[in-house]
Amino acid sequence: MSKKIVVYNNVERFFHYHLVHLVAFLTISGLPILSHKFDFIAYGLGIPVAALTNSQNVLSAGMSALRFIHYSSAFLLTLLSIPFVFMMLRKIAHLSMWPDRWGVQATIDGFKEMWKFYIKQEHVRFGKMNTGQKLFAQVVVITMIVLTISGYMLVFRESISSDLATYARAAHAISFIILGMMLIIHLYLAVHPTNKNSYEAMFHTGTMDEEFIKDHHGIYYDKLKKENKI
Amino acid sequence: MSVNMKCYDTTPCIRCFACMVGCSVENRLRLQRENHIGIEKSVQGRLTHLSHLSPQRRELGTFPNSRQVTAFHHCNHCEDAPCLEICPVDAIIRREGKEVVVVQDRCIGCSSCLDACPFDVPVIKNGKAYKCHGCYDRVENGLKQSCVNSCPSGAMFSGTKEEVLEEAHKRAELYTKKTGKEHVVYGANKVNGTVGELRWITIVPKEDLEAYKLDTDPKKLAMSAREAVKVVGAVGSVAIVAGSIGHLIYWLGKRKEKISKGEVEEK
């Protein structure tokens, strides 16, 4: 039987697990503020809320409840992020999101390898993450920072200028839209059959077989060997 | 009911600010009439959020060649009101006379209207947005707006769009002829793509547009960028979902082909 290697520790798995539903709450509660196309969410929640609060306006009641959910989820996510961020900062130089090789050519090669793997279904030696996953992680970090800062600026908008609040609102929406598009790709690839082992490791076991890592994540395997972690 | 319009003529304005007082008084009386506030309380506080017309007096030039101008900060009841478009709870509506009005009972005080308005008009107070409502209740009952009613010098007048535009253009032409300075009717024509025409127009010397803070291209770049990215996001998201479905179908087909050729094992 192949040896099990821990690829995601308990803090990472706990954070990711709760990140999933908090981001879902934040997305669902934020979409109706972003566009009238999502008013049905506010109406859906507004019907029971208006009935309970004796409110005459279903849309306003729904939107007020969604704002409460949005603020609460954001606050919980902030609290949850503190230990995770500290853990990541401690090993910032060794994070998987940094490229295995730097430079334009290395990035192009990374995309060629992804093409081989996802389109041609050929065997490729990846690191813990492939180029697409690394780029995704970098975009997530940047957009989450912008979302957090702009979100808190909007919560405390009375302390800042009107112009700054307008920029914060725009930055909040733009960074969410970028993150949202990336999340669709992330969700698709997370449940894709090729990523079954990663999915299992993230949501259930935290580990992968040594043989699987050697075969599919060769660069990562070499790195673990070099660091005497295997 | 036809479109109702207001006009502020800068030339006969004597800077008495009766319009501002009239506006404030009318809004306090409204609260009393609707039993939201007692008479004593309504006259005690400053209640600045109920003064929808704020004059900003400025002196241009240096003595002895100086002169005063009074720029008014107020809602323009835009044809394409960005506040109305962005309000997530449909609390901003357009009345029969095209006045852009905040329905207080629906407003949740999210400040979206404030961020969208290129003239920075709405004020948020006690979790609600406040701005000029064009005295729609008076107009719909055959009265003039409170500010217009208060003006002693005819510097403010209102009526149907046709009446007001005719009078405004006539006055602008007269002033141009008498003073030799070109006078324009700001807001009579489409100002830009963000706000369209305005329902509160101003007769002003063309050279003083800036002095009267009449923006010839009112817009907020951040909000324009937000709207543009929303379109990109919608198109991009649909493309990504379609691409993902396409990839899955292609991938499964290719996988089946490889299995049938014996290149990979079925799991």
Side-chain angles (χ1 to χ4, degrees), chain B residues 3 19 28 30 45 48 53 99-100 114 122-123 133 135 150 157 162 192-193 206 222 230 237 251:
Chain B
V3 176
C19 50
R28 288 160 197 258
R30 251 186 211 102
T48 48
L53 187 58
E99 299 92 351
V100 179
L114 175 58
V123 174
H133 38 69
C135 288
S150 311
F157 58 97
E162 295 73 25
N192 70 358
K206 195 175 181 182
K230 268 168 70 175
S237 299
W251 190 90

Side-chain angles (χ1 to χ4, degrees), chain B residues 38-81:
Chain B
I39 293 173
E40 295 84 359
K41 201 174 178 188
S42 76
V43 293
Q44 282 168 0
R46 288 188 69 198
L47 306 179
T48 48
H49 60 291
L50 297 180
S51 300
H52 302 319
L53 187 58
S54 53
Q56 295 163 353
R57 203 160 73 161
R58 301 169 67 195
E59 194 158 292
L60 299 179
T62 47
F63 185 81
N65 300 315
S66 61
R67 63 195 171 95
Q68 287 184 338
V69 297
T70 305
F72 277 116
H73 187 234
H74 53 74
C75 174
N76 289 300
H77 299 277
C78 312
E79 181 186 20
D80 306 320

Side-chain angles (χ1 to χ4, degrees), chain A residues 46-135:
Chain A
I47 292 167
V49 172
L52 285 169
T53 56
N54 243 351
S55 171
Q56 298 292 311
N57 300 294
V58 171
L59 186 58
S60 302
M63 204 65 81
S64 296
L66 287 171
R67 279 177 88 198
F68 176 75
I69 294 170
H70 201 77
Y71 286 6
S72 315
S73 305
F75 182 65
L76 280 177
L77 184 54
T78 310
L79 288 182
L80 197 66
S81 300
I82 294 169
F84 180 76
V85 169
F86 271 107
M87 196 185 83
M88 290 292 127
L89 286 175
R90 278 182 62 196
K91 54 177 185 179
I92 192 160
H94 308 286
L95 294 178
S96 309
M97 70 175 197
W98 304 126
D100 297 316
R101 287 190 297 131
W102 291 86
V104 178
Q105 191 54 47
T107 310
I108 294 169
D109 291 344
F111 281 116
K112 282 181 182 169
E113 284 176 345
M114 282 175 66
W115 180 266
K116 278 186 194 169
F117 183 71
Y118 287 112
I119 304 295
K120 292 186 171 178
Q121 296 186 13
E122 290 175 3
H123 184 264
V124 179
R125 268 173 61 88
F126 285 132
K128 187 176 179 180
M129 288 180 178
N130 62 42
T131 304
Q133 288 166 324
K134 286 175 191 293
L135 274 176

Side-chain angles (χ1 to χ4, degrees), chain A residues 195-209:
Chain A
N195 291 321
K196 194 181 161 196
N197 286 283
S198 293
Y199 182 89
E200 284 293 316
M202 181 54 87
F203 285 100
H204 298 115
T205 60
T207 61
M208 277 185 192
D209 288 338

Side-chain angles (χ1 to χ4, degrees), chain B residues 48 135 244 264-265:
Chain B
T48 48
C135 288
S244 300
V264 290
E265 282 178 33

Side-chain angles (χ1 to χ4, degrees), chain A residues 34 36 57 59-60 63-64 67 118-121 157 166-167 169-170 173 177 181 184-185 188 192 194, chain B residues 85 87-90 105-106 108 110-112 115 222 230 233 240 244 247-248 250-251 254-255 258:
Chain A
L34 183 70
H36 283 292
N57 300 294
L59 186 58
S60 302
M63 204 65 81
S64 296
R67 279 177 88 198
Y118 287 112
I119 304 295
K120 292 186 171 178
Q121 296 186 13
R157 61 177 299 148
T166 305
Y167 281 111
R169 183 181 287 273
I177 290 166
M181 288 195 288
I184 299 172
I185 302 173
Y188 167 64
H192 196 275
T194 51
Chain B
E85 297 293 324
C87 179
V89 290
D90 297 336
D105 290 345
R106 293 186 200 164
I108 57 169
C110 67
S111 305
S112 297
D115 289 336
K230 268 168 70 175
I240 289 168
S244 300
H247 177 261
L248 186 63
Y250 166 82
W251 190 90
K254 181 101 176 165
R255 174 102 182 148
K258 288 209 168 203

Side-chain angles (χ1 to χ4, degrees), chain B residues 86-100:
Chain B
I86 201 169
C87 179
V89 290
D90 297 336
I92 300 181
I93 58 164
R94 208 182 286 281
R95 299 290 302 192
E96 292 167 36
K98 306 299 176 196
E99 299 92 351
V100 179

Side-chain angles (χ1 to χ4, degrees), chain B:
Chain B
M1 191 177 174
S2 57
V3 176
N4 200 279
M5 210 173 226
K6 267 192 285 190
C7 181
Y8 167 50
D9 185 350
T10 57
T11 305
C13 177
I14 55 171
R15 288 179 272 282
C16 65
F17 306 133
C19 50
M20 186 190 81
V21 175
C23 175
S24 181
V25 168
E26 181 67 24
N27 284 315
R28 288 160 197 258
L29 287 173
R30 251 186 211 102
L31 289 179
Q32 291 174 24
R33 281 200 299 265
E34 292 164 10
N35 294 322
H36 288 309
I37 193 168
I39 293 173
E40 295 84 359
K41 201 174 178 188
S42 76
V43 293
Q44 282 168 0
R46 288 188 69 198
L47 306 179
T48 48
H49 60 291
L50 297 180
S51 300
H52 302 319
L53 187 58
S54 53
Q56 295 163 353
R57 203 160 73 161
R58 301 169 67 195
E59 194 158 292
L60 299 179
T62 47
F63 185 81
N65 300 315
S66 61
R67 63 195 171 95
Q68 287 184 338
V69 297
T70 305
F72 277 116
H73 187 234
H74 53 74
C75 174
N76 289 300
H77 299 277
C78 312
E79 181 186 20
D80 306 320
C83 59
L84 189 148
E85 297 293 324
I86 201 169
C87 179
V89 290
D90 297 336
I92 300 181
I93 58 164
R94 208 182 286 281
R95 299 290 302 192
E96 292 167 36
K98 306 299 176 196
E99 299 92 351
V100 179
V101 176
V102 179
V103 181
Q104 303 294 345
D105 290 345
R106 293 186 200 164
C107 180
I108 57 169
C110 67
S111 305
S112 297
C113 51
L114 175 58
D115 289 336
C117 177
F119 301 106
D120 286 327
V121 169
V123 174
I124 307 295
K125 183 85 180 175
N126 304 327
K128 302 279 179 192
Y130 292 86
K131 67 167 207 69
C132 168
H133 38 69
C135 288
Y136 69 90
D137 48 353
R138 292 174 59 99
V139 174
E140 286 169 15
N141 286 287
L143 299 169
K144 290 285 181 191
Q145 294 86 346
S146 182
C147 53
V148 173
N149 209 36
S150 311
C151 182
S153 64
M156 277 195 163
F157 58 97
S158 67
T160 65
K161 182 181 172 183
E162 295 73 25
E163 286 169 355
V164 172
L165 284 179
E166 191 189 343
E167 175 67 15
H169 285 299
K170 205 190 284 178
R171 288 190 187 193
E173 205 177 307
L174 177 72
Y175 300 149
T176 305
K177 206 169 149 187
K178 294 277 182 191
T179 63
K181 281 184 191 171
E182 188 188 352
H183 281 64
V184 292
V185 184
Y186 172 80
N189 300 315
K190 186 174 176 173
V191 178
N192 70 358
T194 305
V195 297
E197 287 175 10
L198 306 181
R199 312 294 187 207
W200 184 318
I201 57 175
T202 308
I203 307 169
V204 63
K206 195 175 181 182
E207 63 182 30
D208 285 347
L209 276 168
E210 206 183 320
Y212 279 93
K213 297 186 177 177
L214 299 170
D215 195 346
T216 50
D217 190 17
K219 64 181 168 198
K220 283 188 171 172
L221 280 176
M223 296 309 279
S224 305
R226 180 183 184 264
E227 292 308 305
V229 174
K230 268 168 70 175
V231 176
V232 174
V235 175
S237 299
V238 171
I240 289 168
V241 171
S244 300
I245 295 169
H247 177 261
L248 186 63
I249 294 168
Y250 166 82
W251 190 90
L252 290 172
K254 181 101 176 165
R255 174 102 182 148
K256 204 173 166 185
E257 189 186 312
K258 288 209 168 203
I259 290 169
S260 64
K261 283 182 183 171
E263 290 176 22
V264 290
E265 282 178 33
E266 193 172 5
K267 285 179 189 170

